[in-house]
Structure formats: structure tokens, C-alpha cells
Amino acid sequence: MKKRSQTVNQVLLDYAIGYESRQASLLGRREVLSGKAKFGIFGDGKEVAQMAMARSFKKGDWRSGYYRDQTFMFAIGESDVQKFFAQLYAHTDVQAEPSSAGRSMNGHFGTRFLDDEGAWLSQSDRYNVSADVSPTGSQMPRLVGLAQASKMYREAESLKEMTQFSNNGNEVAFGTIGNASCAEGMFWESVNAIGVLKVPAVISIWDDGYGISVPNSVQVTKSNVGELLQGFQRKPGTTDGYDIHVVSGWNYSELVEVYAKATAAARNEHVPQIIHVIEVTQPQGHSTSGSHERYKTPERMEWEKEFDCLTRMRAWMLEEKLATEKEIVDVEEKATARVRELKGAAWDAYTAPIMAELKTAVELYSVLRDELVLLNLPEVAESVAVEWNELVSIREPFRRDIMVSTHKVLQLTASANCSSRNALQQWRKSFNNDVKERYESHLYSEGKNQIANVHHVDASYDSDSQSVN
């Protein structure tokens, strides 16, 4: 049998990652609609372009993007399906959900820059992702600084020895943004600043033609941000401006080629790049809060099915004889099974401590109810029994349910002075402290360099110091 080439293996691997990511999006939506998660926003439709971007992303590089980039994160290995669902469920264990320990909305990615003591980790030998934030467009000013850092490390002799942060300025800062956010001032100011500074940024615009339910025609001049950006195109033989590329989001081979070319120019020449990825689809609409069938025409919906990036990539692999139908089906079946398995693992890991806490609470209820009966308080005992039944009947409980229930039981039994109520009250205080640690800690640095450890130093002046304006 002819040995499969490395290129073909890479294509199949990319398709498997993209297909897993799509299945994660589909199952993620169901988890939200079933009540297991509160809100969902996913990267479906952008899988192929993000795999191409990941191909050119090297250790030491940076990403400043937004909440649609799950496939990219899977492809570089800084996230996976189980971590994706852990974030969807808001799992507060940093090992389960390393991007933010459940403190950010789903799809908000990030990597660690500090160790547990607050000291810098080496960034030149790892993939770096600045923490995503919800206001779309706000990732762009950050991109300016990340790209400018590479230029400073390349040009400033005093920074050459700081190899834990840079390899002589060879790092590229990748930025991602949706077409609708390109109407914002932060986008245009950042694009201009990057061009003026001549720093190594690669900006990807995922353009699906809509901003939630609003088409490009009513939010971008000429309905095409790419056309507006043409004025930034550098002239041949110069270094002023950008290289601008336009590529379809379903064209795998062209995307890989464009990203390789653009990233090489940014990395080697420090010429910024814009990659306008057009004809992108969004199979599930903007988010779980709406339905795109309400604002897209039947013709547009049919077009999105035909030009779905994974559908097109699949057809291309068959046409180019890179894989057989059987091989592709095998990849798809394994990916589907794997996503279901990892989703289940994420849910089990998230719910296990909650179920343990609930078990403790209902055990305390049982003891309390029995003591109330002995104290000849049958009505109060019955009210505790009702709360016991309501709490254990919740199919998929959250900590909020436990907090509401225990608070209510303590109120119902306020007139009873007994040891079992005191035990419940003490447990609830301990539970409150645990919840506070889970949800309120690490909002700011808590290592040795935390702000509380920075001591005030009064300014001092020589006796002959002059006052200046």
C-alpha cells in the first residue's frame, strides 16, 4: 500500500479537528437550550480558516481575538473539547478550565503568563493567547501593543537578553475580528496605528455578511470592509502599509497558502497583513439567544448549506483523492463519538462536587427534621421535609439551588434552638466561604507581585531642586 504523505495526513487531521469543533458547537447549543448552561456563542462556520491560521502560528506568537476562535485553540493544543465544555458550564477549577476558571463567558480564551507565585513564565517557547474580553473590537488596541513589542525586541539592544519574552522580535501577533466590529472606531484606529508603526500583525476578518441580524449593507460603507481597507495596501517595493489578502472561508488549500505567505512577510519583514476571509457561514446563527432563520432569506440559508466550509473541504478531499468516502466517514464518526464522550466527562467533573455538597445538605436536613420531631415541632419538621424533597428532585442542580434551599430552611427553623440547626448553620457559613473562593478569587493577581505588596514610596527632593513647569 502506498505510504500516505505528511501533507495528506495533515489535511485529514485538520478535517478531524474542524469536525470535532463543529460537533462541539452543535452539542454546546443543545446544552444551553436544555438549561445546563446559561448562554452560548460558538465558532461554527469558521473552522477551516482557523485551522489554516493555526498552521502558521508558532511558539512565541500571540493571539488577540474574540469568542469565535475555538477551532484555532483546538488546533494549537491550548484548548480541547472537554475544556470547551468546562467553560460552557462555568467550571471554577483552573485545571478543568484553564482559560479563566469559569469566570468568563464561553469562547473567551486565554493562556497563563504567570506561575502560581506570580512570576513570569517563558513566553518565547509557548503559544500565547491574551485573555478574550466580551466587548467586540476591544481586542484590537491590545493587538497594537503585542505587535509593537516584537519590533521593540528586534530593535532595542537593551532587550536582546530577555529571551524568555522574545526570539529577537520574530514573533507575530495574530488578531481576529468579525466583520461587524470592523465598523468600530477601535478597529480603524488600531489598523492605522499598526500601519504607522510597521509592526508584525496579521489581522483576520471573519466576514459572514452579518452583524447579529444586521447585514453589512446598513453598517459598513459600500457593504464591504475589504474595499474600504484597500487604501492601506502597500505599493510594490515599499514597506508603507499592509499586504491585503482576500480569500473564501471555505477554500482550505488557498487559506493555508495565504496564511503561510502573509505570516512569513509579517515575521521576516515586519510588514503588517490583513486577511479578509469572505463567504463565511454561521450555521447556528449568532448565538443561542436568537434564530437566524428570522432575518436570513431562504435563498441565503440554502447558500450557507452549500458553502459550509466543512462541506466544501470534504468535497475537495474526495475530488483530489486525498481520502476515500470510507476514511472520511470514519473520521466523522470518531469525532462525533469523542465529542460526546468529552462533553459527558466535562459535565461529570463539573457536577461531582456540587452533588457532594447537595448530599451533605440533605443529610443535615434529615437530622434536623428528626430532631424537630423530637422537640414536638411537627409543622416545622414537615416544612424541612418539603425542602428536602424539592432539593433532591432537582435533576441537574446548581450551587444556587443549594444556597436558596439552605437559606430557606434556616429561615423556617429560626425559632428552633437545636444542635442540628446549628450544624446546618455552620455548614452554610463554610459553604459561603467556599463559594466566595470559587467565584470571587483571582479577579486580580494574588501572587507575590500583587498590588497589595507594592509599598508606597514618598517622593524625595534635593535641597537645591528647582521647580519646573
Side-chain angles (χ1 to χ4, degrees):
M1 181 178 178
K2 184 178 179 181
K3 186 177 180 180
R4 188 183 296 274
S5 71
Q6 182 63 36
T7 302
V8 173
N9 284 335
Q10 181 67 56
V11 171
L12 277 173
L13 176 61
D14 283 351
Y15 183 74
I17 293 170
Y19 199 86
E20 272 193 13
S21 181
R22 176 66 60 84
Q23 296 307 305
S25 295
L26 296 172
L27 285 182
R29 182 179 179 86
R30 293 180 192 175
E31 294 297 274
V32 173
L33 298 181
S34 71
K36 287 185 176 180
K38 301 307 176 188
F39 178 75
I41 193 160
F42 309 107
D44 47 310
K46 299 156 185 69
E47 295 92 349
V48 171
Q50 290 178 24
M51 289 185 294
M53 184 172 82
R55 286 272 208 103
S56 294
F57 195 85
K58 294 183 178 180
K59 289 186 176 180
D61 288 347
W62 285 81
R63 168 194 165 272
S64 181
Y66 74 130
Y67 45 71
R68 299 288 186 188
D69 294 346
Q70 71 199 46
T71 308
F72 170 80
M73 294 297 294
F74 293 173
I76 65 170
E78 290 299 327
S79 185
D80 56 39
V81 172
Q82 186 165 340
K83 292 172 183 174
F84 170 84
F85 280 101
Q87 190 176 66
L88 187 66
Y89 302 138
H91 194 163
T92 57
D93 184 340
V94 72
Q95 300 302 318
E97 201 285 271
S99 287
S100 68
R103 287 154 174 76
S104 290
M105 192 173 72
N106 85 291
H108 287 56
F109 304 107
T111 56
R112 297 285 292 274
F113 311 138
L114 306 176
D115 63 19
D116 292 337
E117 299 301 319
W120 287 107
L121 295 167
S122 175
Q123 295 161 13
S124 57
D125 56 2
R126 63 203 303 128
Y127 299 121
N128 303 293
V129 176
S130 63
D132 295 349
V133 284
S134 295
T136 56
S138 58
Q139 69 270 34
M140 296 303 295
R142 184 183 297 173
L143 179 68
V144 178
L146 292 171
Q148 186 181 11
S150 292
K151 181 176 182 177
M152 294 178 69
Y153 280 114
R154 178 170 289 187
E155 295 182 351
E157 288 299 324
S158 59
L159 300 178
K160 297 291 186 184
E161 62 185 31
M162 302 180 72
T163 55
Q164 75 271 36
F165 296 120
S166 176
N167 176 24
N168 196 37
N170 290 326
E171 298 75 30
V172 174
F174 289 77
T176 64
I177 189 167
N179 52 289
S181 299
C182 293
E184 298 180 30
M186 284 187 290
F187 171 78
W188 291 100
E189 290 179 25
S190 300
V191 168
N192 183 65
I194 288 170
V196 170
L197 293 169
K198 300 179 182 178
V199 292
V202 175
I203 301 172
S204 297
I205 302 170
W206 313 138
D207 192 345
D208 69 348
Y210 288 84
I212 309 182
S213 60
V214 181
N216 280 350
S217 59
V218 294
Q219 61 188 350
V220 178
T221 303
K222 298 184 178 181
S223 302
N224 188 338
V225 67
E227 189 173 344
L228 302 183
L229 289 166
Q230 288 302 316
F232 289 91
Q233 176 75 53
R234 67 165 170 165
K235 295 178 181 178
T238 71
T239 58
D240 290 331
Y242 285 76
D243 290 333
I244 299 178
H245 315 266
V246 181
V247 57
S248 295
W250 47 265
N251 194 328
Y252 173 84
S253 59
E254 187 175 348
L255 282 161
V256 170
E257 182 180 339
V258 166
Y259 270 97
K261 178 182 178 181
T263 305
R267 193 181 307 280
N268 300 325
E269 304 173 48
H270 275 202
V271 173
Q273 309 285 308
I274 292 174
I275 303 177
H276 185 198
V277 184
I278 61 172
E279 297 186 341
V280 172
T281 66
Q282 204 151 271
Q284 297 189 112
H286 177 262
S287 72
T288 54
S289 295
S291 171
H292 60 161
E293 290 88 354
R294 297 172 62 186
Y295 54 83
K296 291 179 182 176
T297 65
E299 292 76 19
R300 170 71 189 197
M301 296 296 294
E302 192 60 36
W303 179 89
E304 291 201 5
K305 288 182 181 179
E306 181 182 354
F307 283 87
D308 180 278
C309 63
L310 292 177
T311 299
R312 284 280 175 160
M313 183 177 178
R314 191 185 200 280
W316 172 76
M317 287 191 296
L318 289 171
E319 183 180 336
E320 295 294 320
K321 295 183 171 53
L322 299 176
T324 65
E325 176 71 23
K326 184 178 182 301
E327 287 175 318
I328 294 175
V329 169
D330 184 56
V331 166
E332 293 169 345
E333 290 178 348
K334 287 180 179 177
T336 301
R338 175 177 159 80
V339 170
R340 290 185 180 279
E341 177 186 350
L342 293 176
K343 176 188 74 71
W347 178 253
D348 291 343
Y350 167 67
T351 56
I354 297 175
M355 296 306 294
E357 292 156 358
L358 185 145
K359 182 174 182 290
T360 300
V362 297
E363 286 174 350
L364 290 168
Y365 285 8
S366 295
V367 176
L368 175 58
R369 179 193 58 196
D370 293 344
E371 187 171 1
L372 290 168
V373 171
L374 293 175
L375 292 172
N376 199 26
L377 296 170
E379 292 182 359
V380 182
E382 179 59 29
S383 66
V384 173
V386 170
E387 287 302 314
W388 186 96
N389 283 321
E390 287 191 6
L391 188 56
V392 298
S393 67
I394 300 174
R395 182 178 176 183
E396 290 158 350
F398 296 102
R399 287 192 172 90
R400 178 191 61 198
D401 300 313
I402 301 172
M403 297 188 80
V404 170
S405 179
T406 51
H407 179 73
K408 189 173 181 180
V409 167
L410 289 170
Q411 283 187 317
L412 291 168
T413 60
S415 61
N417 183 15
C418 56
S419 60
S420 55
R421 184 182 185 277
N422 291 337
L424 177 62
Q425 193 170 35
Q426 289 302 313
W427 181 83
R428 173 56 194 263
K429 288 181 180 178
S430 175
F431 185 60
N432 285 351
N433 291 333
D434 178 66
V435 167
K436 185 174 182 180
E437 173 66 22
R438 287 179 181 275
Y439 297 102
E440 294 184 23
S441 65
H442 298 286
L443 299 180
Y444 303 96
S445 175
E446 298 183 4
K448 62 183 180 182
N449 295 321
Q450 62 179 287
I451 194 169
N453 294 337
V454 178
H455 301 292
H456 175 75
V457 179
D458 291 326
S460 61
Y461 303 94
D462 295 334
S463 59
D464 58 349
S465 296
Q466 293 183 343
S467 295
V468 296
N469 187 338

